Amino acid sequence: MTIAETSAPLAHLSAQGVSVWLDDLSRDRIRSGQLAELIQTRSVVGVTTNPTIFAGALAHGQAYEEQVRVLAADHVGVDEAVTVLTSDDVAAACDVFAETARSTGGEDGRVSIEVDPRLAHDTAATVAQARALVERIHRPNLLIKIPATAEGLPAITATIAAGISVNVTLIFGLDRYREVINAYEAGLEQAAAAGHDLAAIRSVASFFVSRLDVEIDKRLDAIGTPEAHRLRHRAGLANARLDYRVFEESLDTERWATLAAQGANVQRPLWASTGVKDPAMDDTAYVAGLIAPHTVNTMPEKTLEAFADHGTAAGDTVTGTYAESDAVLDGLAALGISYAEVTAQLEREGVQKFEASWAELLDTVTSALGGRS
């Protein structure tokens, strides 16, 4: 099978309004030209990163060794070294996607970098680091990732208000998503009042799909009834599809109409954590099942290649499913599974996992710097 043939499903996916982003980044991928190749052969129009991705890249990539030696010779501390190393990768990736950003008017060609996850519950520190990252990387197609914790919401508003584009990450529940929309719109209102050009501000709202299935399927297996078995592997898609209904509803308000008239861009839903965790599932389930206009699907490379090989993009698989999706969540409630409890747990665990990856990243760089903290 030729490259053109394997990439046809991704081209069809893109034609139906889904922006294909890669959920991975490393210096080797940039320098080898493989990232640029994915733009040409896999319809990739953006990249997301997180502390786990950077920890893996720095732990296993030799491309960082020379820069680490320079940083060590300059007696740079570990926190600053991590910022330098990750920011340089993101800046280089932004340059790779610069033409994509220009050709799409800034909608795509975006590269995300996350604030230090240890700041997830510190509003002021999150805003300060978002500003510092923008100043350091200094690329118009940068997105700053801020987690949608309770403390993250006002940081999202303040960052948007400063004219900075934001990828809101770690969203699990519908109520939290409504708060994210409000935070985004409040930020746009403040940005307009401060004289910023709203057309230059972009945002995505990142929903973590597979993690919901992992937790809920574990609870369904413990229940063990035929009704519980019937609901396995269904919660993640149902939740994401209902998120899209909230997205549609948010665009049908006077508040949004006012912002849109001022040039504001919609905050697109982004499907994250789209690699399946259960090998019994179709490996393209979280891509094929979430096709709708004005969305982004950020895929690990394994999922990207699976969809390129045998994915099917046969039209909108979201907007006609709301009644069915409501029924899935109602069925879980009838079995005693608390949606609010699960989504709150996943948010806590998401922050903890990123903190653990950040600690691993710091340990890796500390060791590379010769043991200095």
Side-chain angles (χ1 to χ4, degrees):
M1 185 174 287
T2 67
I3 286 178
E5 288 170 334
T6 58
S7 61
L10 290 165
H12 294 158
L13 184 67
S14 299
Q16 292 170 60
V18 181
S19 291
V20 177
W21 291 7
L22 177 70
D23 191 28
D24 190 47
L25 185 65
S26 70
R27 193 161 294 182
D28 285 331
R29 190 186 289 278
I30 297 167
R31 289 182 174 177
S32 68
Q34 201 257 351
L35 183 61
E37 183 182 359
L38 290 176
I39 297 174
Q40 300 300 321
T41 65
R42 294 294 182 263
S43 301
V44 170
V45 292
V47 163
T48 50
T49 67
N50 60 47
T52 302
I53 288 170
F54 278 130
L58 269 76
H60 305 294
Q62 296 181 341
Y64 301 94
E65 291 179 354
E66 180 180 351
Q67 188 175 18
V68 168
R69 283 196 294 270
V70 172
L71 293 169
D74 290 341
H75 304 288
V76 173
V78 63
D79 286 288
E80 184 181 351
V82 166
T83 298
V84 170
L85 292 165
T86 57
S87 295
D88 284 359
D89 277 4
V90 169
C94 283
D95 291 343
V96 173
F97 282 98
E99 178 54 38
T100 302
R102 283 192 291 270
S103 66
T104 62
E107 180 174 61
D108 285 312
R110 295 283 171 173
V111 183
S112 298
I113 187 169
E114 188 153 353
V115 296
D116 184 336
R118 296 172 298 179
L119 306 179
H121 301 293
D122 187 330
T123 299
T126 294
V127 174
Q129 189 173 75
R131 290 175 177 271
L133 287 169
V134 168
E135 183 175 348
R136 175 175 181 79
I137 296 171
H138 201 62
R139 299 294 191 281
N141 50 333
L142 177 69
L143 284 176
I144 301 297
K145 290 180 78 172
I146 299 176
T149 58
E151 298 84 357
L153 295 170
I156 292 160
T157 295
T159 305
I160 293 290
I164 297 170
S165 296
V166 174
N167 177 343
V168 182
T169 188
L170 281 180
I171 306 174
F172 294 97
L174 294 169
D175 285 342
R176 179 67 89 208
Y177 177 38
R178 293 185 181 96
E179 293 177 321
V180 167
I181 292 171
N182 178 65
Y184 176 57
E185 293 182 346
L188 289 174
E189 289 163 348
Q190 293 176 26
H196 290 290
D197 178 10
L198 298 192
I201 302 172
R202 295 283 181 171
S203 184
V204 293
S206 298
F207 305 95
F208 281 51
V209 184
S210 65
R211 293 189 191 182
L212 194 71
D213 271 338
V214 171
E215 179 59 32
I216 286 182
D217 286 355
K218 181 171 63 177
R219 298 182 184 213
L220 291 170
D221 289 344
I223 293 170
T225 64
E227 293 81 4
H229 183 75
R230 182 179 60 82
L231 290 171
R232 293 187 83 253
H233 301 161
R234 297 184 66 190
L237 285 176
N239 188 52
R241 288 163 172 170
L242 294 176
D243 284 325
Y244 193 81
R245 181 172 66 183
V246 173
F247 164 69
E248 289 186 308
E249 292 169 350
S250 74
L251 301 182
D252 189 26
T253 66
E254 184 177 343
R255 185 185 193 187
W256 178 252
T258 299
L259 288 167
Q262 294 175 280
N265 298 294
V266 298
Q267 182 186 53
R268 291 187 294 169
L270 179 150
W271 316 126
S273 187
T274 55
V276 301
K277 305 300 190 290
D278 186 340
M281 288 185 69
D282 174 2
D283 57 2
T284 66
Y286 298 128
V287 181
L290 293 173
I291 300 174
H294 308 297
T295 60
V296 179
N297 197 308
T298 183
M299 310 176 205
E301 188 170 20
K302 183 178 179 180
T303 303
L304 181 77
E305 291 302 324
F307 199 87
D309 179 63
H310 54 266
T312 300
D316 187 334
T317 56
V318 175
T319 59
T321 68
Y322 298 150
E324 174 190 343
S325 299
D326 279 328
V328 170
L329 296 193
D330 290 344
L332 294 172
L335 291 173
I337 295 176
S338 169
Y339 173 82
E341 177 188 320
V342 169
T343 54
Q345 174 185 324
L346 290 172
E347 181 184 299
R348 290 193 304 272
E349 290 177 350
V351 173
Q352 291 166 0
K353 287 176 181 178
F354 280 169
E355 287 176 343
S357 294
W358 196 262
E360 178 186 346
L361 178 57
L362 291 173
D363 287 345
T364 298
V365 175
T366 298
S367 177
L369 290 171
R372 286 187 299 101
S373 61

